[in-house]
Amino acid sequence: MFAFEITARCPSTRARCGSFHTPHGVVTTPRFMPVGTLATVKGVTADQLRHTGAQMVLANTFHLHLQPGEAIVQEAGGLHRFMAWEGPLLTDSGGFQVFSLGAINRINDRGVVFRSPRDGAQIDLTPERSMAIQMALGADVAMAFDQCPPYPASEADVATACRRTHAWLERCISSHTRSDQALFGIVQGGCYPHLREESARVVSSMGLPGIAVGGVSVGEPTEEMHRIVRQLGPLLPDDKPHYLMGVGTLREMAVAVANGFDVFDCVLPTRLGRHGAALVGGERWNLKNARFRHDHTPLDPSCPCPACSQHSRAYLHHLIKSEEMLGKILLSLHNITQLLRFTSAMAQAIRDGCFAEDFAPWEPDSPAAHTW
């Protein structure tokens, strides 16, 4: 049910194309995964999302537990029916909120106690509770509950987070009983190579259908992220999908694909869209700028999204300056489409045998940045 097959490889890097089979369809990799935290990719309908080329969407356990509650989603027939998304879904475990909401939680070996950011109520999240919520939500992939340490953190603190992450993974495996839902483990270890290596060994030994790398894009220098990716690529099981969590910039995805990673997620495309920014050819354009006021050309003539195929830069500038929600929606659709086109272009380059030349390493001024 959750088979992963490698369909092409780059002979001079670790880049590969794959097909990850789930109950709701196949995810072809490498592939960017849009983030729909509250069962919606912000401002985008499910039908619009399908037209961007998205195959798999991420939702969040912690936030859906707060609102509307997993019981409501289960009553609706599961997360797929609730949000009208027929394709594969993945739910983050709430582990990232252990990091992002550190000011309102307490962590111990049993789990994490939060104060709800909505009403101050106490929320007790353990590995067992995270699994119960994710099984009720019914996504195709559930993520193990982990402790994501901040950056910077001491070696002792990161070692403690790794120990908890591994112990919590065993508890997730014991309590996860839904056969039509894959459970992925998460490698932690911060910026300490020996802890990363040990975590990769432990999580890989569990024999799960997929494996993720967390604790990146949490404030560390970009060079550190690249070093972690290069270190872990050869250590992860080759026959499983590799998911790099929270990464969605072009260069970082290209570096990760070159080192054997397959799936990525990030809130960046919709966040930029809501702030009037567009991703074009590896650059970020602020559509509020006056230079677009009289520019009646498409935002990106090669892009098939509605913002580019139906409207001009001048119109998008007008919408953003007027604070019309349509402008934010169109730019969000465009940005999602851009990241999906980029990962699809990397896949095609792997199949064509030119990935190493065009994308590894990828830089904003390289030919590949303007041809995908």
Side-chain angles (χ1 to χ4, degrees):
M1 188 179 296
F2 293 100
F4 178 68
E5 55 182 330
I6 297 172
T7 57
R9 292 184 185 270
C10 170
S12 58
T13 71
R14 300 190 66 84
R16 73 262 187 92
C17 295
S19 296
F20 178 51
H21 297 259
T22 80
H24 287 86
V26 177
V27 181
T28 57
T29 65
R31 178 71 51 171
F32 175 75
M33 179 170 53
V35 174
T37 301
L38 281 165
T40 172
V41 177
K42 291 187 184 298
V44 177
T45 69
D47 188 57
Q48 288 172 324
L49 193 58
R50 278 188 285 270
H51 282 88
T52 67
Q55 294 179 349
M56 192 173 201
V57 177
L58 178 150
N60 184 272
T61 295
F62 179 83
H63 292 292
L64 287 173
H65 174 64
L66 294 182
Q67 172 64 38
E70 62 274 15
I72 300 295
V73 176
Q74 195 169 31
E75 286 174 8
L79 193 55
H80 293 87
R81 288 189 179 180
F82 189 62
M83 62 184 290
W85 175 257
E86 298 174 354
L89 282 170
L90 178 148
T91 42
D92 191 10
S93 66
F96 184 75
Q97 281 66 51
V98 177
F99 158 75
S100 65
L101 300 178
I104 57 172
N105 68 44
R106 301 191 311 277
I107 307 170
N108 56 41
D109 287 349
R110 180 177 175 273
V112 184
V113 177
F114 293 87
R115 284 293 176 187
S116 170
R118 289 178 174 267
D119 58 11
Q122 180 172 302
I123 300 167
D124 191 15
L125 196 58
T126 65
E128 293 79 10
R129 186 66 183 131
S130 176
M131 290 299 98
I133 296 170
Q134 291 188 80
M135 286 190 287
L137 294 173
D140 299 86
V141 175
M143 298 304 300
F145 189 56
D146 64 324
Q147 183 179 350
C148 176
Y151 178 89
S154 70
E155 182 177 343
D157 286 345
V158 176
T160 297
C162 282
R163 176 182 59 77
R164 284 195 182 120
T165 292
H166 302 155
W168 289 355
L169 176 57
E170 292 181 351
R171 289 163 59 187
C172 286
I173 293 171
S174 296
S175 58
H176 185 265
T177 59
R178 187 161 179 164
S179 62
D180 62 345
Q181 183 180 67
L183 175 62
F184 282 20
I186 302 175
V187 174
Q188 288 291 348
C191 292
Y192 298 96
H194 66 289
L195 295 179
R196 283 288 183 181
E197 181 176 356
E198 172 67 7
S199 188
R201 183 191 65 78
V202 171
V203 177
S204 297
S205 71
M206 300 295 183
L208 296 169
I211 190 164
V213 170
V216 296
S217 197
V218 292
E220 77 281 4
T222 302
E223 295 74 17
E224 277 296 300
M225 184 195 303
H226 293 175
R227 183 190 59 74
I228 292 166
V229 164
R230 293 187 179 103
Q231 177 196 3
L232 292 180
L235 302 180
L236 304 180
D238 186 63
D239 61 341
K240 305 292 174 63
H242 304 160
Y243 167 27
L244 187 61
M245 306 179 76
V247 172
T249 51
L250 303 189
R251 180 177 61 171
E252 279 58 60
M253 287 195 294
V255 170
V257 168
N259 286 277
F261 285 84
D262 308 295
V263 183
F264 312 90
D265 81 279
C266 189
V267 299
L268 183 69
T270 51
R271 180 174 290 170
L272 288 176
R274 293 195 305 277
H275 288 86
L279 297 169
V280 182
E283 300 176 347
R284 297 183 187 181
W285 289 3
N286 184 353
L287 268 295
K288 295 178 183 178
N289 288 347
R291 70 186 178 101
F292 297 112
R293 186 178 182 184
H294 298 282
D295 189 341
H296 300 287
T297 62
L299 183 61
D300 179 350
S302 69
C303 180
C305 81
C308 297
S309 62
Q310 300 174 20
H311 303 295
S312 69
R313 298 172 183 179
Y315 181 64
L316 295 170
H317 167 80
H318 156 68
L319 292 177
I320 296 301
K321 289 290 288 184
S322 303
E323 298 187 356
E324 286 288 341
M325 69 171 64
L326 178 59
K328 300 176 181 182
I329 292 170
L330 287 170
L331 291 185
S332 295
L333 284 168
H334 168 77
N335 292 339
I336 294 169
T337 303
Q338 289 283 292
L339 296 190
L340 285 160
R341 290 177 67 214
F342 185 71
T343 50
S344 294
M346 287 194 287
Q348 188 62 50
I350 295 168
R351 290 190 292 267
D352 292 344
C354 58
F355 175 84
E357 177 183 354
D358 289 349
F359 290 95
W362 181 87
E363 295 294 344
D365 58 352
S366 67
H370 304 284
T371 58
W372 50 272

